[in-house]
C-alpha cells in the first residue's frame, strides 16, 4: 500500500516538513483557524481541511459552514473534510454532518483517539485514528493514522500516515467550478433563497470583466462612473456662482402660482419675457 505523510497543526509550523499532505483548521472550537495566507504558504501538494467539534455545536450550521469554506477555496467534490471529534462519541451529530456535506459531493473523515473514535459510525471518508505508538503505521482499515504527538517534532505538528486511496484535495488539479446543478445544501451554505441561481465561475468573470457580447461589466461601469465623477468635479470647479445666479435670475420668471387643498402652493417658472 502506498502511504502519504501528513502533518496537522493548530498553527502552521514555521518550517513545515517536506511531506505530501498539510492538514489545517477551517472552523469550530479550534484554537486557531488558518488564514488563506497560511494555507498558501504550505508547500505540500495535498491538503486536508479540518472542522473541529469536540463538544456541542449544530451539525446543520457546522456542515453548511464547512461547505461554504470548501467551495470558496475551490476544493473539488470528492475530497475529504475532517471532523475533529477528539474523544467525542456522538453518532447523531456525525451522521447529520456527513449527510449534509455529502449532498454536495464531499466526504467526512472523523478524527479521534482510537479508544473512542471507533465507537462512532464509520462516515463516508472513514476513520482518522490517533494511535500514538511512536512508530509510523496505518491502523488497519483506517483512512489515516496519527502515530505520535507533536513532542518529537518540537511541539509544532503531529505526524500522520494517510492511505493513498483516501481522496484528498489536490492543489495541482484545476478546481471544480460552481454550477446550477449543485445540491440544495449549497443554497443554504451560500444564503440563497428559493429560485435564486448559483453563479458559475464563468458567470462571475463575465459580470466583472465582460466579454464580446456583454461589454457592460462591473469594471466598465466603474471606469465610466469614475470618469463622469471626475468630469463633474472639473466642471463644478469652473462655475462662477455669481454668474450662475445672474443667469437664473435673468432667464427665468414666475409664470403661474396655484393653490391646492391642504395648503399646497405650486410655483411654475418659465423663460423671462424679452425686454422691449
Amino acid at each position: 500500500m502506498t502511504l502519504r505523510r501528513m502533518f496537522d497543526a493548530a498553527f502552521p509550523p514555521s518550517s513545515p516538513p517536506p511531506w505530501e499532505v498539510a492538514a489545517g483548521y477551517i472552523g469550530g472550537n479550534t484554537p486557531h483557524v488558518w488564514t488563506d495566507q497560511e494555507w498558501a504558504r504550505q508547500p505540500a501538494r495535498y491538503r486536508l481541511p479540518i472542522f473541529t467539534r469536540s463538544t456541542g455545536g449544530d451539525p446543520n450550521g457546522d456542515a453548511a459552514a464547512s461547505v461554504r469554506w470548501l467551495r470558496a477555496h475551490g476544493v473539488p467534490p470528492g475530497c475529504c473534510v475532517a471532523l475533529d471529534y477528539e474523544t467525542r462519541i456522538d453518532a447523531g451529530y456525525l451522521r447529520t454532518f456527513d449527510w449534509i456535506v455529502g449532498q454536495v459531493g464531499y466526504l467526512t473523515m472523523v478524527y479521534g483517539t482510537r479508544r473512542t473514535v471507533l465507537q462512532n459510525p464509520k462516515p463516508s471518508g472513514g476513520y482518522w485514528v490517533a494511535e500514538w505508538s511512536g512508530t509510523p503505521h496505518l491502523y488497519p482499515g483506517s483512512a489515516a493514522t496519527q502515530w505520535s504527538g507533536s513532542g518529537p517534532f518540537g511541539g509544532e505538528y503531529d505526524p500522520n500516515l494517510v492511505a493513498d486511496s483516501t481522496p484528498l484535495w489536490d492543489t495541482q488539479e484545476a478546481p471544480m467550478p460552481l454550477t446550477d446543478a449543485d445540491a440544495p445544501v449549497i443554497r443554504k451554505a451560500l444564503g440563497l433563497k428559493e429560485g435564486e441561481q448559483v453563479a458559475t465561475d464563468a458567470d462571475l468573470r463575465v459580470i466583472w470583466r465582460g466579454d464580446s457580447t456583454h461589454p457592460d461589466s462591473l469594471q466598465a461601469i466603474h471606469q465610466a462612473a469614475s470618469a463622469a465623477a471626475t468630469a463633474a468635479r472639473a466642471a463644478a470647479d469652473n462655475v462662477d456662482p455669481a454668474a450662475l445666479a445672474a443667469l437664473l435670475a435673468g432667464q427665468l420668471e414666475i409664470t403661474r402660482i396655484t393653490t391646492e387643498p391642504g395648503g399646497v402652493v405650486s410655483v411654475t417658472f418659465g423663460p423671462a419675457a424679452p425686454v422691449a
Side-chain angles (χ1 to χ4, degrees), residues 19-236:
W19 294 352
E20 293 78 25
V21 189
Y25 294 84
I26 64 173
N29 57 323
T30 176
H32 175 69
V33 174
W34 284 25
T35 66
D36 290 350
Q37 292 75 19
E38 288 171 334
W39 280 106
R41 287 200 298 268
Q42 303 311 311
R45 171 175 176 173
Y46 299 94
R47 309 284 166 83
L48 177 61
I50 306 169
F51 191 94
T52 305
R53 191 55 78 195
S54 57
T55 182
D58 169 31
N60 296 281
D62 291 348
S66 298
V67 168
R68 185 163 53 245
W69 191 96
L70 295 168
R71 298 305 303 216
H73 291 80
V75 181
C79 297
C80 282
V81 56
L83 178 61
D84 185 351
Y85 250 21
E86 295 294 325
T87 59
R88 182 174 185 172
I89 303 172
D90 191 336
Y93 179 105
L94 177 57
R95 286 194 179 101
T96 301
F97 184 98
D98 191 18
W99 184 86
I100 292 176
V101 300
Q103 294 306 294
V104 287
Y106 296 111
L107 305 175
T108 300
M109 177 195 299
V110 64
Y111 166 86
T113 183
R114 180 177 60 84
R115 177 180 57 83
T116 57
V117 72
L118 298 178
Q119 297 184 52
N120 291 288
K122 185 177 181 179
S124 56
Y127 294 112
W128 178 7
V129 178
E131 186 179 54
W132 292 2
S133 67
T135 302
H137 71 285
L138 188 70
Y139 182 81
S142 68
T145 299
Q146 187 181 84
W147 53 267
S148 174
S150 62
F153 302 93
E156 286 198 300
Y157 54 86
D158 299 319
N160 306 263
L161 287 181
V162 183
D164 186 57
S165 58
T166 299
L168 299 172
W169 173 18
D170 186 350
T171 60
Q172 294 185 15
E173 290 185 351
M176 182 74 70
L178 288 171
T179 69
D180 292 339
D182 281 325
V185 69
I186 196 66
R187 296 182 172 283
K188 179 177 179 180
L190 295 175
L192 295 175
K193 299 178 181 178
E194 186 66 28
E196 292 182 327
Q197 297 297 308
V198 179
T200 65
D201 288 350
D203 293 334
L204 296 177
R205 283 194 293 271
V206 169
I207 291 170
W208 175 241
R209 299 173 186 165
D211 61 17
S212 58
T213 58
H214 299 83
D216 294 330
S217 65
L218 288 179
Q219 282 185 332
I221 293 172
H222 172 71
Q223 292 169 355
S226 297
T230 300
R233 285 193 297 269

